[in-house]
């Protein structure tokens, strides 16, 4: 089975459109979404509509989905994130707001094969930035393969019986073969707001039969997404960071 793994889209219609156009000629069976469909960008309804059309879909909520749909107040958000979330809440159609609100809390198990979480499978709002956090998650969970999002950069943590290693990808398409006896925490990166210093949209395809994961980086119309953010009256830093990838 081949899974298209999407995360942290953040209302960026240009980036999601480019990703879906790019994968049109690739074979994939199911879409898996790791949360944060909305928040930050200027096209919340368009991105929710696009994802809703992708079936079959396994999806979980992110912290921005919770605040934008009114499940949480956003008191932990910084000023820019909160302003964007409140704007998004006002813009969402009732149908899309209810759909976002109903996204299940992670972790979820996909096809009895692998796990997905937004932050970590222990705490949906916690971050995995480095090996110490990854090691703590490995110790507290049973999953052999778990995909996660939230930190907005693509990375693979691999736990063998005697060491943990980090793989940071820099290629436009990076295929990584999974080994037996090794456990993995894999972040496909962010589609709508990458934060690894590379502005290209990031996503993954996981082939569970190989097994192997490929992380892709693709260009999209950043200037268009930026001008929509400014036209909507959203905070300028949200537009600026898209060009910087951080
Ligand atoms: Fe996010």
């Amino acid at each position: 089975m081949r899974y298209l793994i999407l995360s942290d889209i953040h209302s960026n219609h240009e980036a999601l459109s480019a990703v879906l156009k790019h994968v049109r000629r690739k074979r994939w069976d199911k879409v898996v979404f790791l949360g944060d469909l909305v928040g930050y960008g200027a096209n919340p309804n368009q991105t929710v509509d696009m994802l809703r059309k992708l079936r079959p879909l396994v999806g979980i909520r992110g912290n921005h989905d919770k605040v934008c749909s009114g499940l949480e107040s956003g008191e932990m958000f910084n000023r820019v994130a909160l302003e964007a979330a409140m704007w998004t809440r006002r813009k969402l159609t009732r149908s899309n707001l209810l759909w976002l609100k109903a996204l299940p809390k992670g972790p979820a198990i996909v096809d009895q094969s692998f796990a997905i979480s937004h932050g970590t499978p222990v705490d949906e709002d916690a971050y995995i930035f480095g090996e110490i956090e990854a090691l703590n998650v490995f110790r507290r969970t049973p999953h052999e393969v778990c995909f996660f999002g939230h930190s907005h950069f693509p990375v693979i943590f691999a736990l063998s019986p005697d060491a943990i290693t980090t793989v940071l990808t820099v290629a436009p398409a990076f295929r990584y073969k999974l080994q037996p006896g090794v456990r993995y925490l894999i972040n496909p990166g962010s589609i709508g707001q990458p934060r690894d210093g590379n502005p290209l949209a990031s996503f993954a395809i996981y082939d569970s039969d190989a097994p192997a994961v490929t992380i892709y980086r693709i260009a999209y119309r950043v200037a268009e997404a930026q001008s929509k953010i400014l036209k909507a009256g959203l905070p300028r830093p949200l537009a600026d960071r898209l060009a910087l990838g951080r």
Side-chain angles (χ1 to χ4, degrees):
M1 188 77 84
R2 290 169 64 86
Y3 300 90
L4 177 59
I5 316 263
L6 311 176
S7 191
D8 295 280
I9 295 163
H10 284 291
S11 299
N12 189 333
H13 183 241
E14 283 68 33
L16 181 60
S17 304
V19 166
L20 295 182
K21 197 172 163 200
H22 188 82
V23 297
R24 219 156 35 195
R25 283 195 212 93
K26 296 187 192 298
R27 195 176 75 71
W28 52 268
D29 306 298
K30 275 190 186 180
V31 175
V32 175
F33 171 61
L34 310 183
D36 276 3
L37 179 50
V38 295
Y40 296 143
N43 287 122
N45 285 308
Q46 288 87 337
T47 44
V48 177
D49 289 343
M50 279 184 110
L51 203 71
R52 289 178 74 171
K53 275 191 204 135
L54 292 172
R55 295 209 183 95
L57 168 75
V58 184
I60 53 171
R61 67 192 189 183
N63 51 326
H64 286 258
D65 303 322
K66 285 190 286 183
V67 177
C68 293
S69 66
L71 274 178
E72 285 185 359
S73 67
E75 59 191 8
M76 303 296 281
F77 275 20
N78 64 40
R79 187 190 60 77
V80 166
L82 188 59
E83 198 178 322
M86 292 306 121
W87 179 90
T88 304
R89 200 185 284 178
R90 289 196 300 274
K91 291 287 170 188
L92 282 168
T93 63
R94 181 160 171 75
S95 164
N96 282 341
L97 187 135
L98 291 175
W99 187 87
L100 277 173
K101 216 174 201 170
L103 277 174
K105 178 184 180 177
I109 306 296
V110 180
D111 294 340
Q112 297 174 320
S113 168
F114 62 95
I116 58 170
S117 64
H118 183 63
T120 85
V122 180
D123 177 348
E124 63 177 342
D125 296 328
Y127 289 92
I128 303 174
F129 286 119
E131 289 166 351
I132 296 294
E133 290 106 330
L135 191 56
N136 281 324
V137 169
F138 279 126
R139 282 180 175 143
R140 295 175 63 185
T141 55
H143 318 297
E144 256 175 55
V145 176
C146 177
F147 287 88
F148 69 99
H150 197 33
S151 62
H152 291 216
F153 65 87
V155 61
I156 298 168
F157 296 106
L159 182 72
S160 68
D162 38 42
I164 184 165
T165 49
T166 303
V167 180
L168 280 169
T169 74
V170 290
F174 174 79
R175 188 172 191 271
Y176 184 85
K177 183 108 175 63
L178 275 54
Q179 302 297 325
V182 180
R183 295 173 62 198
Y184 296 95
L185 278 164
I186 304 168
N187 190 329
S190 166
I191 289 177
Q193 200 197 81
R195 288 184 196 155
D196 60 341
N198 178 352
L200 301 180
S202 187
F203 69 98
I205 290 181
Y206 174 51
D207 179 345
S208 61
D209 300 319
V213 63
T214 306
I215 294 176
Y216 295 91
R217 302 304 293 262
I218 62 150
Y220 73 94
R221 291 179 300 158
V222 173
E224 177 90 14
Q226 288 177 306
S227 85
K228 282 185 183 172
I229 285 172
L230 296 176
K231 235 180 254 169
L234 287 160
R236 175 169 279 278
L238 293 174
D240 292 344
R241 68 188 310 174
L242 290 183
L244 304 169
R246 57 183 152 86

